[in-house]
Amino acid sequence: MPLEHTRSAGSARHARRGPGRSAHSAVGPSARPASAGTDILASLVVFLVALPLCIGVAAASGVPIALGIISGIIGGLVVGFLPGSSLQVSGPAAGLAGLCLEFTTEHGLALLGPVILASGLIQMGLGALRLGSLFQSISLAVVQGMLAGIGLPLMLSQSYAVMDAKQLGSAIKNIGGLPHLVQSTLADPHRLAALFLGIGSLAICFLWKKVPAPLSKVPAPLIAVMLGSVLAALPGIEVKRVVFGSLLDAVNFPGPDDFAGLADPAVITMVITFAIIASAESLFSAAAVDRMHDGPRTKYNAELFSQGIGNVLCGLLGSLPMTAVIARSSANVQAGAKTKISRVLHGGWLLGFGLLLPGLLGLIPVAVLAGILLHAGWKLFDPTAFPKMWKTDRGEGIVMIITTVAIVVANLLEGVLAGLAVAIVLVALRMSRIAFRTTSVDNTACLTMSGNATFLRLPKLIEALDSVAGMPRIHLDLTAVVHLDLACRSQVEEFAERQRKAGAEHVELLLPGTPPEKTTAPDHSTLEADFPAGLEHPQGQTAQFPGPIPTPAVGLIPGQQHPVAEPWPHAAAGGWQHGVPIQTATNYAVLDHVVSNYGAPHAASYNAAYGAPHPGSYDYGHAYDPPEASHWTPEDERAAERAYWEGTQQ
């Protein structure tokens, strides 16, 4: 509102001063301080959201709390300055907490720095090669399945932390240990107190948005931390609290021996996993943040390069990996941030708090942070997304479920790869849809195909070919097939050759791209000699045949409607060719006479197949009006065929 008022006043001043001063020069000085003030306030909001999340992610990752704050500082003071996105905020991500815990448990904390550094270098390479946009082409079902697969293990691990217990490791092990966890907690009053604090912080995170303004503007995680710390300080309550040392003491520069561990294939796999997941989470967050505001859009390649620089620095300092985080980014946008100032300043607030007020962190109960991360895991898991995806598209719903289950059962990288594989197979099946139309009259069988013929549809193709096998005359029309791969083409060609060798009278195969055959019109005098005189038109007009009748087009199929809207004399004299509609006659015996004497492959069966006239049009997808019948010549026909064929190839 103050900014709107300033602009109005500036416009009024401009009107008084006349054209000598621009509105921009009048408005600019007053608008910039207002924007800067909004960004400063937004930075405080982001700081209050980021602080408990940095601490909680570090605790969930099994590393010193200070390492989470260091990653948040780098995300603000370094990545905040870099190009890419203006409003999204970076820091340690809850989605990578389980991966970090698994890695540090197996390989130790010292090797985490080199792994994060190598992952950052990969991100920088992807950004420099302009491959950031590839992450925009990943199936939405895989993305949502990945987020759910991250959220569910996070909730399982924090279920132990919320009861002041140590988690067992993988998601499957944590699920198996839940009954014993509940039993041991009910028997321990101190664990019950921790559970009470954790449930309280979880409830605050879910319900705080319903509190009336302006109180609801205060970040829910901050309220949960403050209230939880106060309650934990009451006499008789003994719960685990955050252990925080010095930021400088927590820094762990990797040495040569630590980098030697990168030669381990398992470690290399983890490097790739961190790089892919951190990149995907950052760019997915960027897409979500871009939908929240009307400012400059994210430059994906630049953002990916900037995230890589941030992770290289995190690796050099031995801290946690960082990504763009949707919780902090959305808080930044909702707080009214307009420029990069807010996200840079939030890193400065984190640095100042870590250096000047580290003692306050020791008052925070671990269970309270676990409750906050339970809420974060629930939002990532998003149970409502599964039925929504299933109702929208069952195939995509299956992809989402498989991705989630594979991540929980195996690991993050294998789960995402499994989801991508299923999504690719689903797309291939859907793109390989092919339609078959089979007609058989007397001794002639016609098989027409349309769509995309790939090896995935070979069983259906073989079944359709078998349905016309053994007929004396076979017509295979594949001109409407958009894509014919080598496997299907070979199958069709081999079938046609086998039928010829088996003694079929005539086997005709029209492949995609086959032009219409150039035919020569029969002698007009021959037609006049044995053509019935004076055919009556349905409107009572007598049909005249002043010009030669071209040979009928190949591909007219018995049992289908082949009518048109052309005047009857035109159709009789020049209508039997590719691309020209064919007039319905009252007496199909006359048409049968024409085609049976002048080359149509199924002429003998036309009258029996049709029996009576019917409206409509048979065409190759292209129609034109023929010239007057008296001027129609074989040269006209060939020119029309060439024009039609050239038109279809454009």
Side-chain angles (χ1 to χ4, degrees):
M1 184 65 184
L3 184 57
E4 304 265 356
H5 177 72
T6 302
R7 287 177 178 170
S8 300
S11 300
R13 288 195 298 271
H14 171 65
R16 288 194 298 270
R17 291 171 182 172
R21 296 283 302 276
S22 68
H24 176 73
S25 63
V27 176
S30 58
R32 281 194 293 269
S35 176
T38 303
D39 285 333
I40 292 173
L41 292 176
S43 71
L44 288 170
V45 173
V46 176
F47 160 69
L48 296 175
V49 172
L51 179 62
L53 289 177
C54 288
I55 300 169
V57 170
S61 301
V63 302
I65 300 302
L67 295 182
I69 296 180
I70 291 173
S71 295
I73 293 170
I74 295 173
L77 294 180
V78 178
V79 179
F81 272 114
L82 298 176
S85 175
S86 297
L87 298 181
Q88 76 170 352
V89 184
S90 301
L96 292 174
L99 206 59
C100 290
L101 178 63
E102 179 183 346
F103 180 80
T104 55
T105 301
E106 183 176 353
H107 299 281
L109 180 59
L111 193 54
L112 181 62
V115 168
I116 303 307
L117 188 152
S119 300
L121 291 175
I122 291 177
Q123 288 181 291
M124 293 175 64
L126 293 174
L129 294 173
R130 307 185 65 81
L131 297 178
S133 56
L134 288 179
F135 290 91
Q136 294 177 279
S137 61
I138 296 178
S139 165
L140 179 61
V142 174
V143 173
Q144 292 187 339
M146 182 192 74
L147 296 177
I150 292 173
L152 185 56
L154 179 62
M155 287 190 293
L156 290 170
S157 66
Q158 295 310 298
S159 297
Y160 286 77
V162 84
M163 302 180 201
D164 275 356
K166 184 179 180 180
Q167 61 172 303
L168 302 180
S170 67
I172 300 299
K173 291 181 179 179
N174 286 336
I175 292 174
L178 286 177
H180 180 265
L181 174 66
V182 174
Q183 182 180 1
S184 60
T185 299
L186 294 176
D188 188 337
H190 299 300
R191 286 192 176 183
L192 282 175
L195 178 61
F196 172 78
L197 292 175
I199 293 177
S201 67
L202 179 63
I204 289 173
C205 290
F206 273 110
L207 303 175
W208 190 251
K209 59 184 177 182
K210 297 183 179 180
V211 175
L215 193 59
S216 61
K217 300 297 182 181
V218 182
L222 179 64
I223 297 297
V225 166
M226 293 175 60
L227 289 180
S229 300
V230 170
L231 292 175
L234 295 176
I237 297 181
E238 297 181 8
V239 294
K240 290 183 179 180
R241 290 176 171 82
V242 171
V243 178
F244 185 83
S246 167
L247 284 178
L248 296 179
D249 293 340
V251 173
N252 181 25
F253 296 102
D257 294 338
D258 298 326
F259 283 102
L262 293 176
D264 186 348
V267 175
I268 295 176
T269 301
M270 192 60 66
V271 168
I272 298 173
T273 302
F274 272 117
I276 293 176
I277 301 305
S279 301
E281 188 166 346
S282 295
L283 298 184
F284 296 156
S285 172
V289 173
D290 281 348
R291 291 194 291 268
M292 298 179 184
H293 65 88
D294 298 325
R297 304 293 92 180
T298 298
K299 298 177 181 178
Y300 281 82
N301 295 311
E303 177 66 16
L304 186 56
F305 192 87
S306 299
Q307 293 291 330
I309 292 176
N311 275 319
V312 167
L313 291 177
C314 288
L316 287 174
L317 298 178
S319 65
L320 288 173
M322 55 164 289
T323 70
V325 185
I326 189 63
R328 289 166 233 188
S329 303
S330 60
N332 190 36
V333 175
Q334 292 167 5
K338 302 297 180 184
T339 67
K340 295 181 178 181
I341 293 176
S342 60
R343 66 181 193 171
V344 173
L345 279 180
H346 115 276
W349 301 128
L350 285 173
L351 177 61
F353 187 91
L355 292 176
L356 302 177
L357 301 170
L360 293 179
L361 299 178
L363 302 176
I364 302 174
V366 172
V368 171
L369 296 176
I372 294 172
L373 290 177
L374 277 172
H375 178 254
W378 180 264
K379 290 170 64 177
L380 287 170
F381 181 57
D382 192 9
T384 60
F386 288 89
K388 186 183 300 183
M389 182 68 74
W390 184 264
K391 291 179 182 178
T392 303
D393 189 319
R394 291 193 175 183
E396 296 292 337
I398 293 174
V399 172
M400 183 177 175
I401 293 171
I402 290 176
T403 304
T404 303
V405 173
I407 291 174
V408 173
V409 173
N411 57 55
L412 199 56
L413 180 60
E414 293 179 5
V416 171
L417 293 177
L420 287 174
V422 176
I424 291 172
V425 171
L426 177 64
V427 171
L429 287 173
R430 289 179 170 176
M431 292 299 293
S432 297
R433 288 178 177 171
I434 185 169
F436 301 94
R437 185 173 64 250
T438 305
T439 58
S440 180
V441 178
D442 295 336
N443 294 323
T444 301
C446 301
L447 175 61
T448 304
M449 308 179 199
S450 60
N452 296 283
T454 70
F455 66 93
L456 295 174
R457 298 300 182 185
L458 269 177
K460 290 188 64 176
L461 175 61
I462 294 173
E463 181 181 353
L465 293 173
D466 288 343
S467 67
V468 299
M471 297 292 288
R473 290 186 294 274
I474 300 174
H475 177 69
L476 304 175
D477 186 357
L478 280 68
T479 55
V481 173
V482 178
H483 173 71
L484 181 68
D485 73 358
L486 181 60
C488 291
R489 183 188 181 108
S490 299
Q491 185 68 38
V492 173
E493 291 176 339
E494 290 172 4
F495 171 83
E497 187 61 28
R498 286 198 307 270
Q499 296 304 307
R500 293 187 184 103
K501 291 180 179 179
E505 296 178 13
H506 180 73
V507 178
E508 183 173 25
L509 173 59
L510 296 179
L511 294 171
T514 303
E517 296 181 359
K518 301 299 186 291
T519 56
T520 304
D523 186 4
H524 173 55
S525 60
T526 304
L527 178 63
E528 287 182 333
D530 54 5
F531 201 89
L535 172 67
E536 287 295 323
H537 187 270
Q539 278 74 34
Q541 303 173 359
T542 301
Q544 302 296 325
F545 309 98
I549 298 178
T551 303
V554 175
L556 303 180
I557 302 172
Q560 293 185 349
Q561 297 182 353
H562 301 181
V564 291
E566 305 297 336
W568 168 247
H570 291 185
W576 289 94
Q577 71 237 1
H578 288 280
V580 180
I582 301 167
Q583 173 64 45
T584 304
T586 303
N587 188 346
Y588 271 93
V590 175
L591 295 183
D592 181 43
H593 175 87
V594 174
V595 292
S596 62
N597 284 277
Y598 299 101
H602 314 304
S605 60
Y606 265 84
N607 190 49
Y610 299 138
H614 35 321
S617 178
Y618 179 85
D619 196 356
Y620 280 87
H622 174 81
Y624 56 84
D625 293 331
E628 291 296 327
S630 59
H631 303 291
W632 187 258
T633 66
E635 288 74 17
D636 293 326
E637 179 193 358
R638 285 190 287 273
E641 286 184 349
R642 284 194 299 272
Y644 160 69
W645 180 247
E646 291 170 358
T648 61
Q649 301 304 302
Q650 293 177 355

